Amino acid sequence: MGASVQGRKIVITGASRGLGRALAIVAASQGALPILLGRSLDALQEVSDTISSNGGPRADSFVCDLSSPRSIASAVNKIAMMHPDIDVLVNNGAQFTTGSLEDHTDEQIMAVVNSAVAGTMILTRELLPLLKARARADIHNVVSMSGLPYARFVGASLPFRAAKAAQDGFTQGLVEELQGSSIRITSIYPGIIEDVSPVTADWQRQRGIDEGLTNKEVVDAIIYALSAPANVSLRQIVIERTRSDFLL
């Protein structure tokens, strides 16, 4: 590839666990500066400490509940003050639920939809001026295969699937709005993934054709897209098992 993530400032939502945590650790190991957003400051601090203990930079952490516009505004203000030169926004945070629609409370439905859709849109809108000011910037939306029309309805709840379909629509619309700007848009569609940590031996284990995916494959795809030359944009990346039985 013609570029790397070296020196780039990457805002990551949902950075306290799973895919977001893994991406922050790996990006930092490759010379990027992650900026961590999530609902739990203690959990975010654990990620920051892990990055530092592995020789990485100090990663600033900001509480950001994507279902709360006030929380988003507070995080954006801190980012704008401390890191106005951000290069990348990875919209990974979302509240996942399982079970039938009838099993969900009003509050659960609102939280799922608001975090994945409204919260993602508000955060993106507020950070756009900073990203537009850069000669080169990226927005990556982690949509999941639940947002695709052909995905089988297995595992994820109806509110989650509806939210991801809306997030997919937002991503495609954003591509049109930002056409001609310095910002590349990439949407990532992972299927069911197992969470493994980059600081464990399991991260490097080669998996067989009959085994499932892990968050490593998704992290690798995001890093690959971010490392593409400035004149190359990877619009959509679908990540599924070679022998797929279920989609998320």
Side-chain angles (χ1 to χ4, degrees):
M1 303 297 281
S4 71
V5 297
Q6 177 76 35
R8 304 191 77 190
K9 289 189 174 183
I10 305 176
V11 177
I12 305 171
T13 66
S16 63
R17 57 187 177 85
L19 175 59
R21 177 181 184 274
L23 176 61
I25 294 170
V26 172
S29 73
Q30 297 187 19
L33 177 62
I35 299 165
L36 313 176
L37 302 186
R39 288 182 290 171
S40 169
L41 187 59
D42 288 341
L44 292 172
Q45 189 58 52
E46 182 277 328
V47 181
S48 181
D49 291 344
T50 299
I51 290 172
S52 296
S53 66
N54 282 277
R58 186 179 70 85
D60 285 325
S61 303
F62 305 114
V63 172
C64 183
D65 182 349
L66 289 172
S67 65
S68 167
R70 179 172 295 183
S71 179
I72 295 171
S74 175
V76 168
N77 287 337
K78 292 172 183 175
I79 292 171
M81 180 175 60
M82 299 175 63
H83 300 285
D85 54 343
I86 60 170
D87 302 287
V88 181
L89 169 61
V90 178
N91 286 311
N92 166 69
Q95 295 190 31
F96 176 75
T97 58
T98 59
S100 70
L101 179 62
E102 292 178 323
D103 292 335
H104 284 68
T105 65
D106 294 349
E107 290 75 17
Q108 286 177 314
I109 293 173
M110 293 295 291
V112 170
V113 174
N114 283 342
S115 62
V117 186
T120 295
M121 292 177 69
I122 292 171
L123 178 67
T124 302
R125 181 196 64 193
E126 292 302 301
L127 292 179
L128 271 178
L130 300 182
L131 293 168
K132 284 183 174 180
R134 306 294 287 167
R136 174 192 178 202
D138 290 88
I139 296 175
H140 280 239
N141 289 342
V142 181
V143 180
S144 119
M145 290 188 70
S146 291
L148 295 173
Y150 61 78
R152 293 173 57 197
F153 184 65
V154 177
S157 68
L158 181 55
F160 182 81
R161 180 165 180 167
K164 286 300 182 176
Q167 194 179 56
D168 180 57
F170 162 64
T171 304
Q172 304 316 314
L174 193 63
V175 170
E176 296 178 13
E177 281 204 11
L178 297 180
Q179 188 172 11
S181 75
S182 61
I183 303 176
R184 301 183 299 189
I185 312 294
T186 299
S187 47
I188 309 289
Y189 303 87
I192 293 176
I193 56 175
E194 173 192 352
D195 284 329
V196 293
S197 172
V199 296
T200 64
D202 200 31
W203 182 262
Q204 297 298 338
R205 183 175 71 83
Q206 293 295 314
R207 285 164 172 77
I209 192 170
D210 291 318
E211 294 186 271
L213 301 173
T214 72
N215 51 352
K216 181 182 187 300
E217 285 76 57
V218 186
V219 168
D220 287 346
I222 293 174
I223 296 293
Y224 179 83
L226 289 176
S227 301
N231 65 325
V232 175
S233 179
L234 301 177
R235 285 274 304 276
Q236 296 180 319
I237 303 175
V238 178
I239 305 172
E240 60 180 332
R241 288 180 58 184
T242 301
R243 297 179 179 177
S244 182
D245 298 318
F246 301 104
L247 303 178
L248 178 62

